[in-house]
Amino acid sequence: MEDTTRLTNDHSIKLFIQRDYSEGTAVKFQERFPAELEGRIDRQEFIEILRDINRFFADAEALSCTTFMENCCTCLTGYLLLLCMPTHYEKCVKRAAKYIDEKNESVLNPHGIFMVDPMEKGLRCIEVCITNAHR
Amino acid sequence: MVKQWEILESKNRFYCDGRCLTGRDIGVFIFALILITITSGLFFGFDCPYLTYRLSPAVPVFAAILFLSVICFIFRTACSDPGILPRATPDEVLYLERSNITSSPQSVALPGRTIEVQMHTGHVIQLKFCSTCKIFRPPRVSHCSLCDACIANFDHHCPWVGNCVGLRNYRYFYSFLMSLSFLCIYILAFNIINIVLRAQDKPSFADAIRDTPATIVEALICFFSIWSVLGLWGYHTYLICRSVTTNEDIKDTWNTSRRGAHMKNPFSRGNPCLNCFAALCGPLPPSFLNLRAIVTPDNNNINMSPTRMMNTINIDETRQYQLDDNNYQRHSSPVPPHSDRQQNRYPSYDYV
């Protein structure tokens, strides 16, 4: 069963963009251009996508009055408020997922690249799948 | 229909169809719950009627508020996901084996390799490989052998709440300690007040105690618990101000004197107030596990719905077609597993 999840086959290559922990445990992905994507997509464009994703998560992890008020209110209501509305972090994660979807459709898929929402991997890495058969 | 929580490899127990989880051994947690409930019950039953009449009805009201907060926080700590990191898929492991992100050559097996991270403060942190979860453990992540999972910002595994204390439930654990300390002090104080007031009405002290034998029981329980609970609360307040986890404190990770140079904790934000603020009121990520998603054959692989990839072929989809015994043209009416997962990704009742 596990054999079918081969990394390289005739059709696809999978690579994983790792997290950047140099600034702490806040969610940030390494903004480097993987060598496997050379020739498929413009370097700057890809790094810009990664930067935008990092911006969404930086916004989610920011310490602000909004998060303070939100946490205080949820605590005071005995956490029943969480049943009614999503947290700021969840909203940012949804925005990042929507952004990745848009970029997949507009920019990445035409080049045979597919980027997976990092939340599927527990925010550990961004999975990028490249297909060969397209060429 | 099998859901993700049913096939998760960690040793956690799941309730309410994957909405709550606890550690494997919840005996001590049940004991703690029973002890708190019995002590509070005795207080409400035996002390409160007299104190309400003698002092004010505010006494049981505040006690009730404290008791409800303790119950709320202990359940929140015990039943929420502490920050379990999902294990790596086989694809990821293969990629890690072939990549050059570690300093070791590819001939060294993954468990022998480490990743070095240069922090902005000048520290160099070594990320070790977890053989069970098949990931390079991020900073502050530790593998709990009792839960058999890597936990983000691992603090410790607390038997009293029957769960690990990590990134996502540390603030509830701290609030539990705080409210339990207040409850213990409150009950003990009003036990003493109760006995003293009754002794004023009765001829002797012994008569007063004979009237409310439960008070002595509660006072003893509170007296013996208060040292550990208050002590733990104080210890965690100290840890929060320094932005250090229990795990790091035990291992003395940020010991400034050991290396001679002044090594600042790279996760500290500078001043204690900001550290407290970040730990207790900071942002909290949702659970990294998608516990209530339905398992599909390619849940562990990339989910490329055919419409997205525009006629490209994925070996997993080919396998699906073979299993279905349909012909190749089936992909024109696609089942989009990825968009299904997207809908399940943010269920409205994800309490965990």
Side-chain angles (χ1 to χ4, degrees):
Chain A
M1 237 3 193
E2 307 233 320
D3 217 17
T4 53
T5 62
R6 215 159 316 185
L7 181 65
T8 47
N9 51 42
D10 290 336
H11 305 287
S12 60
I13 301 171
K14 288 183 196 182
L15 54 99
F16 299 86
I17 295 168
Q18 304 291 319
R19 283 267 295 270
D20 177 11
Y21 295 112
S22 59
E23 284 167 33
T25 47
V27 179
K28 188 172 179 227
F29 295 96
Q30 290 179 354
E31 286 163 12
R32 42 167 278 272
F33 187 72
E36 292 93 337
L37 290 176
E38 206 72 57
R40 283 187 176 258
I41 189 172
D42 179 37
R43 187 188 197 94
Q44 272 312 111
E45 214 176 349
F46 190 76
I47 292 184
E48 200 50 47
I49 294 176
L50 292 178
R51 275 209 195 112
D52 284 336
I53 295 173
N54 281 339
R55 255 179 240 132
F56 283 114
F57 284 106
D59 180 29
E61 300 250 358
L63 281 185
S64 64
C65 285
T66 333
T67 41
F68 174 70
M69 289 310 301
E70 193 180 61
N71 281 305
C72 280
C73 290
T74 47
C75 185
L76 289 172
T77 58
Y79 301 105
L80 295 171
L81 200 64
L82 293 176
L83 298 175
C84 311
M85 50 169 261
T87 62
H88 176 68
Y89 205 111
E90 282 167 3
K91 286 184 202 148
C92 289
V93 166
K94 264 188 226 174
R95 268 183 235 144
K98 197 158 155 261
Y99 173 80
I100 293 175
D101 264 346
E102 280 166 28
K103 283 294 169 183
N104 268 333
E105 297 214 6
S106 58
V107 176
L108 299 172
N109 285 358
H111 296 279
I113 306 171
F114 188 79
M115 192 184 263
V116 180
D117 181 13
M119 201 66 210
E120 309 266 337
K121 294 272 164 207
L123 294 180
R124 284 190 292 103
C125 54
I126 301 178
E127 185 176 342
V128 177
C129 192
I130 313 168
T131 56
N132 291 333
H134 191 71
R135 303 285 165 202
Chain B
M1 250 180 9
V2 178
K3 297 218 175 146
Q4 287 281 15
W5 63 267
E6 295 176 70
I7 61 162
L8 203 70
E9 299 108 329
S10 63
K11 287 184 190 161
N12 294 94
R13 290 172 191 252
F14 300 92
Y15 307 95
C16 302
D17 195 27
R19 289 187 179 89
C20 314
L21 63 86
T22 66
R24 190 186 50 180
D25 302 317
I26 54 171
V28 185
F29 167 58
I30 304 278
F31 170 70
L33 260 183
I34 290 174
L35 196 63
I36 294 169
T37 314
I38 286 182
T39 313
S40 309
L42 288 175
F43 181 72
F44 287 122
F46 288 89
D47 298 64
C48 280
Y50 181 74
L51 287 169
T52 313
Y53 153 73
R54 202 45 211 270
L55 290 175
S56 128
V59 172
V61 167
F62 280 122
I65 293 172
L66 277 174
F67 173 69
L68 287 172
S69 347
V70 169
I71 296 295
C72 172
F73 288 130
I74 198 179
F75 271 107
R76 191 87 198 163
T77 314
C79 298
S80 56
D81 175 4
I84 298 173
L85 294 180
R87 298 189 180 186
T89 55
D91 287 320
E92 237 184 293
V93 179
L94 270 169
Y95 176 78
L96 288 175
E97 275 173 359
R98 294 183 195 192
S99 71
N100 54 0
I101 51 176
T102 69
S103 40
S104 321
Q106 282 185 16
S107 52
V108 179
L110 276 175
R113 302 194 216 169
T114 58
I115 296 181
E116 305 218 333
V117 178
Q118 173 87 41
M119 307 280 311
H120 64 283
T121 50
H123 290 88
V124 176
I125 297 186
Q126 300 258 357
L127 306 185
K128 299 200 179 77
F129 186 74
C130 179
S131 312
T132 319
C133 303
K134 308 255 188 296
I135 57 171
F136 280 97
R137 268 186 233 127
R140 304 196 119 176
V141 168
S142 193
H143 189 94
C144 174
S145 46
L146 290 162
C147 297
D148 201 24
C150 274
I151 313 284
N153 273 39
F154 180 73
D155 194 81
H156 66 286
H157 183 100
C158 185
W160 297 101
V161 297
N163 201 359
C164 277
V165 176
L167 171 71
R168 296 187 70 248
N169 62 356
Y170 187 63
R171 64 193 60 185
Y172 310 132
F173 177 71
Y174 182 81
S175 310
F176 161 65
L177 287 178
M178 186 166 74
S179 51
L180 190 60
S181 306
F182 287 157
L183 185 67
C184 272
I185 294 170
Y186 193 86
I187 291 182
L188 189 62
F190 278 102
N191 282 341
I192 295 170
I193 292 173
N194 187 14
I195 300 274
V196 164
L197 288 177
R198 280 182 196 263
Q200 286 173 356
D201 298 339
K202 295 284 164 152
S204 81
F205 216 63
D207 283 332
I209 293 176
R210 220 170 288 133
D211 271 346
T212 52
T215 309
I216 297 296
V217 173
E218 295 161 41
L220 278 171
I221 294 174
C222 286
F223 181 75
F224 286 116
S225 336
I226 219 169
W227 304 110
S228 32
V229 177
L230 214 55
L232 251 181
W233 179 39
Y235 175 61
H236 278 279
T237 310
Y238 167 69
L239 288 183
I240 281 184
C241 291
R242 284 175 54 209
S243 185
V244 171
T245 64
T246 307
N247 198 32
E248 285 166 357
D249 194 49
I250 289 175
K251 292 185 183 162
D252 217 6
T253 317
W254 311 118
N255 187 353
T256 53
S257 56
R258 188 174 11 138
R259 279 167 231 186
H262 187 65
M263 295 270 271
K264 214 164 65 87
N265 176 2
F267 304 110
S268 168
R269 286 163 202 263
N271 75 70
C273 295
L274 213 51
N275 286 336
C276 280
F277 182 79
L280 301 176
C281 311
L284 206 59
S287 173
F288 301 129
L289 314 165
N290 193 6
L291 289 173
R292 298 184 58 229
I294 296 167
V295 178
T296 62
D298 31 64
N299 251 6
N300 280 342
N301 315 327
I302 189 165
N303 295 309
M304 286 196 293
S305 79
T307 46
R308 290 168 184 274
M309 285 313 293
M310 289 180 268
N311 300 324
T312 54
I313 305 154
N314 183 325
I315 198 169
D316 303 301
E317 285 167 62
T318 318
R319 184 165 53 87
Q320 256 183 331
Y321 303 145
Q322 284 164 1
L323 286 172
D324 285 335
D325 218 22
N326 283 337
N327 67 30
Y328 188 74
Q329 295 307 311
R330 198 184 126 108
H331 75 266
S332 57
S333 54
V335 171
H338 186 67
S339 53
D340 270 351
R341 277 205 81 199
Q342 283 291 75
Q343 281 160 21
N344 276 328
R345 170 76 258 170
Y346 309 107
S348 46
Y349 299 111
D350 200 12
Y351 306 146
V352 168

